[in-house]
Amino acid sequence: MSKAKTFTRHDISFLSDGDECAGWLYLPDGIASPPVVILGHGLGATREMRLDAFAERFAAAGIAAVAFTYRHFGDSGGQPRQLLSIKRQLADWDAAIEHVKSRDDVDGTRLAVWGSSFGGGHAITVASRHPELLAAVSQCPFTDGLASAKALGPIGSMRLMPLVGRDLIAKARGKEPVRITLAGAPGSRALMTAPDALPGYLALMPEGQTFVNEVAARVAPTITAYRPGRSAKKVSSPILFCVCDTDSVTPPAETLAYARTAPKGEIKRYAAGHFDIYLGAPFEAVVADQIEFLTRHLKA
């Protein structure tokens, strides 16, 4: 096993449709023009919620890493706040790729994307649109909005509709969004009500920081209609699917079915839940597999 490299973290930012996306660049020390992987998070999450843990490991393996926060969230720009737009988040990925390609301290021709949860679905979509990527990682990915809606259940979905309607009216009138809870207790009115959802989100936040547990309600129907797994068959680069076998948020059966359609897909499975993969032994297992995969395809 090669010795872990030291690295330096830099604060960076780039523009996406005129708004600023804040990020971190992890540069391995002593390596000229290293390959690079771009990391994006899940539903309503920011880069502080354990993206740094993965980025640090990649940098220690000689792979530069850019972890960014979507517009409208965290310390990135964009108004109104807590607006979760699939179209805008995909545009943020495109902007991140263009930013990395423009840098002279990394090798933008040896480039990969890494997404987790909702970002794992984005990683599939982005990889299908960017054949120049050498690799992609899709971790516990959201692949099918209908499957996730079934996991929430019809009663849970119906609870959301009044807030969605109010928010759409607010949007039409140019008012502040009507927000909905992201992760709540079972039976509550929230986008995710699995027993491990709220504890899982809270466990990812660093001590002393607060998770903003709400988004504009208008996103709910767009999530149901979003099926990024269908793009897996269009991904021409190698793509690694990291699937949690007891995932209560993004059902693994649908993910596995989509993953098998990727021409150069690789699948790794873990005896873990959706939020377990970020911490402890499951994290150690998945990050080791991802380093091996990225090192192989980025020629780190």
Side-chain angles (χ1 to χ4, degrees), residues 39-124:
L39 295 86
H41 219 320
L43 205 68
T46 61
R47 67 188 186 283
E48 291 84 1
M49 299 168 73
R50 294 288 290 175
L51 288 196
D52 50 349
F54 288 89
E56 288 170 2
R57 292 297 185 90
F58 299 151
I63 302 169
V66 169
F68 75 96
T69 296
Y70 300 110
R71 285 176 289 166
H72 307 283
F73 292 90
D75 57 350
S76 289
Q79 293 292 336
R81 305 308 295 168
Q82 301 303 116
L83 176 65
L84 204 165
S85 162
I86 294 170
K87 181 179 179 180
R88 293 188 186 199
Q89 291 195 348
L90 291 172
D92 293 347
W93 277 99
D94 291 339
I97 289 172
E98 289 308 307
H99 172 76
V100 166
K101 288 179 179 179
S102 73
R103 298 189 67 92
D104 57 10
D105 48 7
V106 297
D107 184 352
T109 67
R110 289 189 291 159
L111 177 59
V113 293
W114 179 106
S116 192
S117 191
F118 206 63
H122 288 338
I124 301 170

Side-chain angles (χ1 to χ4, degrees), residues 43 103 108 122 124 149 165 193 213 221 232 235-236 238 270 293:
L43 205 68
R103 298 189 67 92
H122 288 338
I124 301 170
T193 58
N213 187 21
V235 178
S236 58
Y270 306 89
F293 174 83

Side-chain angles (χ1 to χ4, degrees), residues 224-258:
T224 303
Y226 188 38
R227 307 180 80 179
R230 289 183 166 187
S231 296
K233 62 181 178 291
K234 303 175 186 175
V235 178
S236 58
S237 55
I239 180 169
L240 174 64
F241 295 89
C242 300
V243 182
C244 298
D245 284 339
T246 56
D247 197 319
S248 61
V249 176
T250 56
E254 283 78 6
T255 297
L256 290 168
Y258 284 124

Side-chain angles (χ1 to χ4, degrees), residues 112-280:
V113 293
W114 179 106
S116 192
S117 191
F118 206 63
H122 288 338
I124 301 170
T125 303
V126 171
S128 75
R129 297 177 177 180
H130 288 271
E132 76 276 16
L133 296 174
L134 296 189
V137 176
S138 183
Q139 175 176 286
C140 56
F142 173 98
T143 55
D144 193 300
L146 288 176
S148 293
K150 289 176 184 175
L152 180 62
I155 295 176
S157 297
M158 288 299 294
R159 287 194 183 103
L160 307 181
M161 290 304 103
L163 287 177
V164 171
R166 286 172 53 199
D167 188 36
L168 290 173
I169 293 171
K171 178 184 178 183
R173 293 177 175 174
K175 304 291 187 181
E176 274 294 301
V178 175
R179 297 179 180 179
I180 195 168
T181 301
L182 260 173
S188 65
R189 186 159 63 177
L191 285 176
M192 287 176 282
T193 58
D196 59 339
L198 181 55
Y201 266 96
L202 296 177
L204 303 184
M205 284 301 301
E207 188 174 349
Q209 296 192 33
T210 302
F211 169 54
V212 182
N213 187 21
E214 56 185 13
V215 293
R218 69 194 69 164
V219 74
T222 69
I223 290 175
T224 303
Y226 188 38
R227 307 180 80 179
R230 289 183 166 187
S231 296
K233 62 181 178 291
K234 303 175 186 175
V235 178
S236 58
S237 55
I239 180 169
L240 174 64
F241 295 89
C242 300
V243 182
C244 298
D245 284 339
T246 56
D247 197 319
S248 61
V249 176
T250 56
E254 283 78 6
T255 297
L256 290 168
Y258 284 124
R260 294 183 183 113
T261 69
K264 297 180 182 177
E266 300 180 29
I267 299 171
K268 293 285 187 179
R269 299 176 65 170
Y270 306 89
H274 187 80
F275 296 95
D276 298 332
I277 206 75
Y278 299 94
L279 300 161

